[in-house]
Amino acid sequence: MSVLDLINGENDIKNIPQEDLPQLAAEIRDFLLEHVSKTGGHLASNLGAVELTMALHLILDFPMDKLIWDVGHQSYTHKILTGRKNDFDHLRQMGGISGFPKRSESACDCFDTGHSSTSISAGLGFAKARDLQGEFYSVVSVLGDGALTGGLAFEALNNASNLNTNFIIVLNDNRMSISENVGGVSRHLASIRMSDAYQEFKSDVHSSLDRLPYGERVVRRMNKAKSSLKQLLIPGMLFENMGITYLGPVNGHNLSDTVHILREAKKVNGAVIVHVQTDKGRGYLPAELRPNRFHGIGPFDRKTGYPLEAKKKPNYTDVFSAVICKIAEKNERIVAVTAAMTDGTGLRRFRKKYPSRFFDVGIAEGHAVTFAAGMAAAGLHPVFVVYSSFLQRGFDELVHDVCIQNLPVTFAIDRAGLVGADGETHQGILDLSYLSMIPNMTVMAPKNKWELAYMLWFCSRFEAPAAIRYPRGKAFDGLKEFRAPIEYGKSEWIFEERQIVLFAVGSMVETALDVRERLHAQGYGCSLVNVRFVKPIDREALQKALGDHSLLVTMEENILLGGYGDAVGAYLGSVDADIRLLRFGIDDRFIPHGSVPQLHEMAGLDAKHIAEMILEQFGTEQNPTAQARGDA
């Protein structure tokens, strides 16, 4: 029997003999590699946090004590140690366990997370609630060093400095977030890693002075000035000056040392930071060498580290990457901004070609938006490349700093729509709604890879805020022959028939082609319009649709409330149009993890469901065979 076989529920690790704990760590790493290589998931961060998680489970009692993971992509070992190892065969699959902490999954997950820099705020909330209710459990927040580039973490640290009861903040310092860490916090932590040099320096100076005449007097004066010296050289003074006790750094792969420092941290009456240094990808050479590649990965060959399915066609991120470099070559005003997602957003090539025009601001989306606004006000044309669900964190800045001033900032919004296995926190299903409500904002969505390129060129010459949203995954290469020039606020008629007209937004154009074929098979005529501009809506195209159609259908991979269908409904109502409207989008709910096709079916956005609903709504009021069809 392996040591891991003895772990079947929370706190079982406390029954493992100390001499067997290194073997348990090795078996956990092997378990993670075996399962993540089949299902995909977040690998490098979890391999690096094995001993740290074991140490936390040795000093905490679950589910009474509260452990909050920042983002949560390093929580796999926590799930294994709390009785969920048998569920890893279906990790991040529909109906299976999430890749992030989930309160609905286990009482040992006390707070749902999926975005960065939130754990200190949440942990402080738990600590305050504990004290107010007269309870006595421990609260521990774990965050990576990359999360400290987010302003929310510093807001929480500032607040935590007033706490007079125990609250442990574990800083898991692996020198990376997703891309390489940037900025002053990263440099400060790097200096702490060199702190042994300070200790040796101090010892050598004292020894030398002791051998000199009046040396003792000099040492005493130096000791009186130790505060100034500490300000310059002692590790953790950044946190100590905020009123937070600092312990560390400690080697996070040395289990006994990590357990010892965490037990010391439990004795502190106040907020305490435990600085733990770990290696991302620990124990698996491909992940150690390229931790960013193994941050979030699909199924792969464990022996080589290569994906099981080679990419056969470029995805939208690849298309963006190539086009933005071509645009920057022609237009020196173009600069690119990312929030710690250089690789994920396709900006690595841009960074290499135009290093002085590339800016990674860390995990700080709100700052990125206002930073871009400042550059735009000074005469540049910034392109902020960001995942849809991450841009939500910069909403206030979108309103106040970009759109009120009507500044030329382009937002290239990757991972828009349903993204799959990362679940609720990462589904990009709100952007059409929250962007469309902001005055001065233009919102666009391409039907295929060529149209994404055309829209990027259009925006590079557009002197106002604009957003282009495009999905995750391979770029659609159909409808190549339909290349009407991009005109501001104009949709594109692809097929013109009678009876039914489909207005499809971006990624839904491909689905609309399938829907149209299904309606044809039933004898119905069906026009197809590529919306292109979600805002402003094309009133002329809608007015044209009223002439030969009795049913207008909108299709969008976005929440229905406040989306394109709502805007169309408002327009039709304002002109008292004699046409029925059927809207397809996502109901008022969050969508869990699963494959994208499964999620489309769950949300009712698959072609089969849409066609069936159209036929049901259209009914038998008209004889379909009596309607002539003529493709334009």
Side-chain angles (χ1 to χ4, degrees):
M1 177 182 289
S2 69
V3 181
L4 186 56
D5 289 336
L6 301 175
I7 304 294
N8 297 298
E10 61 268 21
N11 305 313
D12 281 354
I13 190 174
K14 293 180 173 64
N15 300 321
I16 304 297
Q18 185 172 353
E19 61 270 19
D20 290 339
L21 291 174
Q23 179 61 30
L24 176 61
E27 291 178 10
I28 289 174
R29 281 196 172 87
D30 185 72
F31 179 94
L32 290 172
L33 281 166
E34 179 67 20
H35 285 80
V36 176
S37 66
K38 295 175 181 176
T39 65
H42 292 95
L43 183 63
S45 52
N46 281 291
L47 290 175
V50 172
E51 288 88 359
L52 169 58
T53 308
M54 290 171 60
L56 288 165
H57 277 255
L58 287 168
I59 70 154
L60 299 175
D61 292 315
F62 292 98
M64 180 182 70
D65 292 331
K66 311 303 177 188
L67 180 59
I68 300 106
W69 296 92
D70 205 277
V71 182
H73 56 231
Q74 53 189 337
S75 64
Y76 289 9
T77 300
H78 168 72
K79 294 192 178 218
I80 292 170
L81 296 177
T82 50
R84 285 172 274 179
K85 70 173 187 279
N86 293 332
D87 298 322
F88 268 72
D89 288 337
H90 302 288
L91 174 69
R92 303 168 80 242
Q93 298 174 6
M94 181 168 283
I97 61 172
S98 169
F100 300 102
K102 283 279 180 263
R103 296 166 66 207
S104 59
E105 233 177 62
S106 170
C108 300
D109 292 357
C110 66
F111 197 79
D112 291 5
T113 51
H115 279 195
S116 177
S117 311
T118 62
S119 63
I120 304 177
S121 296
L124 183 58
F126 270 98
K128 287 290 187 182
R130 171 197 65 194
D131 298 343
L132 284 171
Q133 296 175 91
E135 297 177 316
F136 298 97
Y137 54 81
S138 293
V139 179
V140 180
S141 293
V142 182
L143 76 161
D145 48 324
L148 280 181
T149 61
L152 185 64
F154 280 94
E155 294 175 27
L157 284 171
N158 180 63
N159 198 204
S161 64
N162 298 319
L163 196 66
N164 55 14
T165 56
N166 186 253
F167 170 39
I168 301 173
I169 302 163
V170 175
L171 175 57
N172 182 13
D173 176 7
N174 54 34
R175 298 165 296 284
M176 289 191 69
S177 47
I178 297 173
S179 299
E180 295 87 348
N181 282 335
V182 296
V185 172
S186 178
R187 288 193 294 272
H188 174 73
L189 293 176
S191 70
I192 290 177
R193 296 181 198 113
M194 301 300 292
S195 62
D196 286 348
Y198 161 71
Q199 299 295 340
E200 293 173 6
F201 163 77
K202 183 178 73 171
S203 177
D204 290 345
V205 168
H206 280 215
S207 297
S208 299
L209 289 173
D210 283 341
R211 293 193 294 269
L212 296 175
Y214 307 107
E216 292 182 2
R217 185 183 304 174
V218 175
V219 170
R220 286 196 299 270
R221 289 182 178 178
M222 285 179 62
N223 287 336
K224 289 180 181 180
K226 68 179 180 179
S227 177
S228 298
L229 189 62
K230 285 169 66 176
Q231 295 285 346
L232 292 172
L233 297 171
I234 286 188
M237 285 309 297
L238 170 68
F239 307 109
E240 293 275 356
N241 286 339
M242 296 179 74
I244 297 173
T245 301
Y246 171 90
L247 300 177
V250 64
N251 178 0
H253 300 298
N254 185 313
L255 188 58
S256 61
D257 285 356
T258 307
V259 168
H260 173 75
I261 200 170
L262 289 171
R263 285 187 173 140
E264 291 300 310
K266 289 182 73 174
K267 301 175 184 177
V268 175
N269 289 323
V272 53
I273 283 185
V274 179
H275 182 184
V276 180
Q277 294 175 341
T278 61
D279 299 319
K280 215 168 186 180
R282 178 89 169 192
Y284 182 55
L285 186 59
E288 289 178 356
L289 294 175
R290 299 189 65 184
N292 56 339
R293 182 167 169 260
F294 285 87
H295 171 75
I297 191 169
F300 63 94
D301 184 330
R302 181 174 171 178
K303 292 182 179 179
T304 65
Y306 291 120
L308 291 181
E309 291 187 14
K311 185 165 62 176
K312 298 178 182 177
K313 293 183 178 181
N315 58 36
Y316 281 100
T317 305
D318 297 329
V319 174
F320 167 82
S321 177
V323 174
I324 194 63
C325 288
K326 291 179 181 178
I327 293 173
E329 183 180 353
K330 301 289 186 181
N331 186 346
E332 293 184 354
R333 292 177 59 209
I334 296 293
V335 294
V337 181
T338 182
M341 295 297 293
T342 303
D343 289 341
T345 59
L347 283 176
R348 180 172 288 274
R349 185 187 308 184
F350 188 100
R351 181 180 68 178
K352 184 177 181 180
K353 291 192 69 173
Y354 307 104
S356 65
R357 294 157 65 185
F358 168 82
F359 304 96
D360 183 349
V361 301
I363 306 177
E365 291 83 2
H367 162 60
V369 174
T370 303
F371 172 61
M375 288 194 289
L380 298 177
H381 190 126
V383 180
F384 179 28
V385 198
V386 60
Y387 289 3
S388 171
S389 63
F390 294 175
L391 183 57
Q392 293 160 191
R393 312 186 93 186
F395 179 80
D396 181 74
E397 291 77 13
L398 278 165
V399 174
H400 282 265
D401 302 323
V402 174
C403 289
I404 286 179
Q405 301 184 82
N406 203 28
L407 293 169
V409 178
T410 296
F411 297 89
I413 304 174
D414 204 333
R415 269 63 166 183
L418 296 167
V419 300
D422 283 335
E424 296 95 331
T425 56
H426 286 61
Q427 312 288 13
I429 60 174
L430 304 175
D431 55 81
L432 291 184
S433 298
Y434 70 75
L435 290 170
S436 295
M437 68 182 285
I438 309 175
N440 289 337
M441 176 62 79
T442 293
V443 185
M444 310 167 69
K447 69 177 182 291
N448 58 23
K449 64 182 184 181
W450 294 285
E451 199 158 85
L452 172 58
Y454 301 154
M455 287 182 175
L456 287 167
W457 281 102
F458 174 88
C459 286
S460 72
R461 298 183 288 268
F462 188 63
E463 294 300 314
I468 307 173
R469 59 111 66 172
Y470 46 94
R472 181 180 188 177
K474 69 176 183 177
F476 180 48
D477 57 4
L479 298 176
K480 180 180 180 180
E481 65 275 25
F482 294 91
R483 299 195 185 192
I486 305 292
E487 293 183 62
Y488 182 72
K490 297 298 180 183
S491 299
E492 176 189 39
W493 284 82
I494 296 177
F495 300 111
E496 293 187 46
E497 299 180 350
R498 298 181 183 180
Q499 293 186 299
I500 302 165
V501 58
L502 309 176
F503 277 73
V505 176
S507 60
M508 294 304 294
V509 172
E510 182 178 2
T511 303
L513 290 172
D514 192 349
V515 171
R516 181 172 176 270
E517 290 303 313
R518 291 170 184 267
L519 296 176
H520 275 186
Q522 297 298 316
Y524 287 92
C526 182
S527 299
L528 173 57
V529 177
N530 167 29
V531 169
R532 282 188 169 177
F533 286 84
V534 173
K535 184 189 178 188
I537 63 170
D538 187 346
R539 291 175 171 81
E540 289 184 8
L542 291 169
Q543 194 64 39
K544 178 180 176 179
L546 300 180
D548 293 322
H549 306 91
S550 56
L551 178 64
L552 191 156
V553 179
T554 63
M555 300 168 58
E556 59 191 307
E557 203 170 343
N558 187 79
I559 204 89
L560 281 169
L561 188 62
Y564 177 72
D566 262 8
V568 170
Y571 172 75
L572 295 178
S574 71
V575 298
D576 196 23
D578 184 21
I579 192 170
R580 282 174 293 168
L581 174 65
L582 185 58
R583 301 174 306 137
F584 287 96
I586 296 167
D587 293 332
D588 189 19
R589 58 172 170 158
F590 292 107
I591 303 297
H593 56 275
S595 70
V596 172
Q598 286 174 324
L599 298 181
H600 279 149
E601 186 174 351
M602 171 188 286
L605 290 178
D606 60 298
K608 179 176 182 293
H609 174 79
I610 292 174
E612 288 174 351
M613 290 297 294
I614 291 173
L615 292 170
E616 182 180 316
Q617 288 289 319
F618 204 74
T620 57
E621 295 178 15
Q622 302 182 52
N623 179 3
T625 59
Q627 301 291 333
R629 293 202 308 252
D631 293 359

